[in-house]
Amino acid sequence: MDAADLDHRARTRSGCIPPELVSRLLERGHADVVESQAGRGEWFCALAWARVLGEQGREADASEVLAPYVATGWWTAVAAMTELLEGWGRVEEAIGISRTRMEAGHPLALDAYARLLARHGRAEEAFDLLAPHIDDWTLATALVEVASAADREEEAAALLAGHIRADHRCDGPWCCRGLDPELALGLLATLRERQGHMDEAIALLRRRQITSIDNRDQLADLLARHGRVEELRAYAASDGHEEAVQRLAELLEEQGDVEGAIAVYGQADGPAAQDPNAACDLARLLARHGRGQEAIAVMRAQADAHPGDDWILHALSELCLDQGRPADGLAHLDALDARRGGETEWELYWMRLPLIAACHGVDAAVERARAHPEGTSWYAAEHIARLLAGAGRTGEAVTVLQQHDRRIGHDLSGYLIDLGRVEEALAILSLPHRSSRPPLVPTTHLWSEAPPF
């Protein structure tokens, strides 16, 4: 057992029992298997079993399960052990383990260690550790989080202000390394909001060029948190602020103004008419409030406007199925096929299978799937097996998947576990074993200006 091997298997989910199947083993009464595999280098089994033991009050046994993994220095194991110890109230032990990895120079350890200190009355110490690393956006974020507890918000604000250059405009995503002005503005706004300086926080966020990060708009969220509906409405009306439109609709729905939320999306020339994502949000809103027919109409209009756009068709199909109108979804897909000359690749075809099953039964859906030109492929087998298993025909699902290679091993193993055939499932999961680990030193250049890039 070593850190690189553990990390590779955990990241790629290869040569190991993935967490969803560990949960399945526990749910099906195979705790003994999880316990056994925890001692054989199966990280996700070890983590789940340690949590089970901790819940039973067997903290020493839980620590013993994780100890070999922690001993490798692998950060994921260290972080998990730290979290468990903290949860058990053994804070000094948690701090000690985290500090050891920080002193060893692990890039993620300082952030975790400082936050841990701050949660347990040592915010001043945490602030002093983080302040010299303000150039690192992750550590700058942690600094803002601990600044209030350390009563050093103005020091943090000054450090952040030093990274905000009024005369600079980024010309690309890699223009500024580390803590760029956009991130600094956002963090400083967070600090000011926490201090109650709302107008200053809003002014800072209005200076940002990039308003959306991870599909959220910080200014929109701030306005919503503080009930500044009209300011949020004006902001959402600006071009390019799709996330603000979504947040305004969410806020109005939370306040019980469903018609107002629908109106945010629903004008003839509004966001839902221009943006498929906004239309999908509107459709979900309508469906949540018993207006399924209108929701389907919204998504059908988008599907007509963007024929062949698979995610829109998936959304329409799922909506029709959820609303008990599978025939409507099937009719739309059939009409699309007719316009395309009757040939549909599997990626656009498989979404009709649950609709066929709902209208005509599982056997009809399976027959149609197998008749497709790609119906004998491994990826078609996944969908056929899912239909069969969903109808309680798990044994048939296993038979379908066993005809294909190990690329669908996780699905096959899950169904085998459901049938109690655990040893077969474990044998399949162990196939792409440690020999698949990539070399520690790259064998190809990481960057080149000549093709292939």
Side-chain angles (χ1 to χ4, degrees), residues 34 50 75 102 160 176-177 190 199 258 291 308 341 345-346 354 357 383 407 453:
V34 175
W75 174 249
M102 181 197 69
L160 292 168
C176 294
R177 300 288 181 178
T190 297
D199 290 337
V258 175
R291 296 165 66 168
E345 62 272 22
W346 185 260
H383 295 105
R407 281 178 291 187
F453 295 102

Side-chain angles (χ1 to χ4, degrees), residues 210-293:
I210 302 170
T211 60
S212 173
I213 298 176
D214 293 333
N215 296 317
R216 298 303 299 184
D217 186 305
Q218 187 178 349
L219 177 54
D221 287 338
L222 183 153
L223 294 170
R225 274 194 299 274
H226 296 276
R228 299 172 77 147
V229 178
E230 293 312 313
E231 290 173 77
L232 177 55
R233 193 184 301 278
Y235 181 59
S238 305
D239 289 339
H241 291 163
E242 292 84 2
E243 288 77 13
V245 171
Q246 179 187 13
R247 189 65 191 96
L248 175 59
E250 290 171 354
L251 178 61
L252 292 171
E253 184 183 12
E254 291 163 8
Q255 294 177 342
D257 184 5
V258 175
E259 290 302 325
I262 291 170
V264 170
Y265 293 115
Q267 300 92 335
D269 58 347
Q274 311 296 327
D275 177 16
N277 290 299
C280 194
D281 289 336
L282 172 59
R284 292 193 185 105
L285 172 63
L286 290 164
R288 281 196 299 273
H289 294 279
R291 296 165 66 168
Q293 185 170 349

Side-chain angles (χ1 to χ4, degrees), residues 383-400:
H383 295 105
I384 293 171
R386 194 173 303 145
L387 284 170
L388 292 167
R393 295 157 62 176
T394 308
E396 293 176 65
V398 166
T399 300
V400 168

